[in-house]
Amino acid sequence: MAAGNWTAEWKILKKNFEAKTGKKKPKASVTNIIGQSNLSPTLKKCDDAYNKCESAKSTKKKISALKDLISNAAKFAKLSDSYCLDVKKAIVSAGKDMVLMNELDILRKKLQSVKATMASKIRSQDAAIKKLNIWEKMARDMRIDLTGALKRGALFAAKVKSSPTHDVWNSGIQTAARDITQQIGNVEKIRAKDYDIPGIPQKNAGAIFRKMTPWASGDVIFQKDTLPATILSERMDYLKTIQATAKWMDS
């Protein structure tokens, strides 16, 4: 997921949804109640603000752009949470249409992952303004960054469920898993530098890292003739590890 390119990603996702289901995405009835039915304008403002943060040549300009990003990200979070209620209703109404249910689930998980990624990027920009060193930044933001990685991992798992093919799995599993292991793998290193990591348990980070490592290292790659059932089984193991990691964070 490329930060600062969220509008284009959402547009592509909507097109894919229509191509797969033959239907338009659910109407934004709940979202419309709060005054806006279209997510794209707010996403565009988030893109613009983030890209201004990245390219700002002065601290003053970066601070100004970050304020815009925080404001628009908060608006997007409200809109996306509301729209997810519409998607949830559509999932219930889908009945036995598994294709529709899967694609609706992808829409929902995409919005959740974008919201979490925005939160993580806001913290990164704030760390740059405050000139935090890398260890301070990682310790302070570990939980937010890992939450974003888990949301993106869940989105990848949903895409595999929708299209359990070797190319979908092979093209995304390493990135999705490394996104998580890069966070988990730093836990002990950060603590060795005498930094506390708010919201991260003291034990068992290593066990999660080891479980996720084969996927992150590219050891689980499928051939063209691999049966969908085999890919779906591996996908379930991966998804359970994501769920276990989220549960571990709250332990």
Side-chain angles (χ1 to χ4, degrees):
M1 181 181 298
N5 197 38
W6 294 302
T7 309
E9 290 181 349
W10 179 238
K11 184 176 180 180
I12 291 170
L13 197 70
K14 289 189 292 183
K15 285 186 177 180
N16 289 343
F17 178 87
E18 293 175 6
K20 281 262 187 139
T21 66
K23 301 176 184 293
K24 296 286 186 180
K25 68 179 180 64
K27 291 183 178 180
S29 59
V30 176
T31 309
N32 196 41
I33 292 173
I34 62 175
Q36 183 175 323
S37 60
N38 191 348
L39 294 168
S40 295
T42 301
L43 271 177
K44 179 64 166 57
K45 290 178 181 178
C46 290
D47 283 337
D48 291 345
Y50 176 78
N51 289 322
K52 285 180 181 178
C53 275
E54 282 285 89
S55 62
K57 301 299 183 182
S58 69
T59 300
K60 183 177 180 180
K61 289 183 178 180
K62 186 179 274 292
I63 290 173
S64 177
L66 181 57
K67 286 181 179 178
D68 286 342
L69 177 57
I70 291 171
S71 175
N72 286 298
K75 184 176 181 181
F76 172 76
K78 185 177 180 179
L79 290 170
S80 63
D81 285 349
S82 296
Y83 186 61
C84 279
L85 295 177
D86 292 313
V87 176
K88 185 177 181 179
K89 290 195 303 182
I91 290 174
V92 173
S93 300
K96 296 182 179 180
D97 189 339
M98 295 305 299
V99 171
L100 179 57
M101 288 181 67
N102 288 342
E103 297 307 313
L104 286 167
D105 190 44
I106 289 174
L107 282 182
R108 181 171 59 175
K109 285 185 168 60
K110 177 64 174 181
L111 292 173
Q112 292 170 342
S113 69
V114 169
K115 184 175 74 169
T117 300
M118 282 184 185
S120 180
K121 294 302 181 183
I122 285 169
R123 298 290 280 185
S124 294
Q125 294 297 329
D126 177 72
I129 289 169
K130 293 177 177 176
K131 302 188 186 307
L132 300 184
N133 69 46
I134 187 62
W135 301 108
E136 289 175 312
K137 194 271 183 235
M138 287 193 296
R140 187 195 68 168
D141 299 340
M142 171 70 73
R143 185 177 176 89
I144 291 174
D145 291 344
L146 183 54
T147 297
L150 292 174
K151 294 295 186 183
R152 292 187 291 274
L155 173 62
F156 171 71
K159 289 179 178 179
V160 174
K161 184 179 180 181
S162 173
S163 301
T165 62
H166 78 289
D167 54 342
V168 171
W169 174 271
N170 293 351
S171 66
I173 183 58
Q174 279 187 270
T175 297
R178 282 178 181 172
D179 207 9
I180 297 167
T181 57
Q182 284 176 349
Q183 302 298 328
I184 296 289
N186 284 320
V187 169
E188 296 308 320
K189 295 177 183 177
I190 294 169
R191 289 194 171 125
K193 297 286 185 179
D194 294 325
Y195 289 103
D196 291 328
I197 311 177
I200 297 297
Q202 292 288 332
K203 299 180 179 179
N204 297 326
I208 295 172
F209 181 84
R210 288 189 292 274
K211 177 64 177 177
M212 192 70 68
T213 294
W215 296 310
S217 299
D219 296 337
V220 187
I221 298 297
F222 293 116
Q223 301 301 314
K224 187 175 182 179
D225 58 353
T226 303
L227 294 175
T230 301
I231 298 172
L232 288 172
S233 177
E234 191 69 27
R235 172 252 178 204
M236 181 56 70
D237 194 18
Y238 169 73
L239 180 60
K240 286 180 178 178
T241 304
I242 289 176
Q243 293 167 341
T245 305
K247 186 175 180 179
W248 165 77
M249 280 204 300
D250 291 327
S251 63

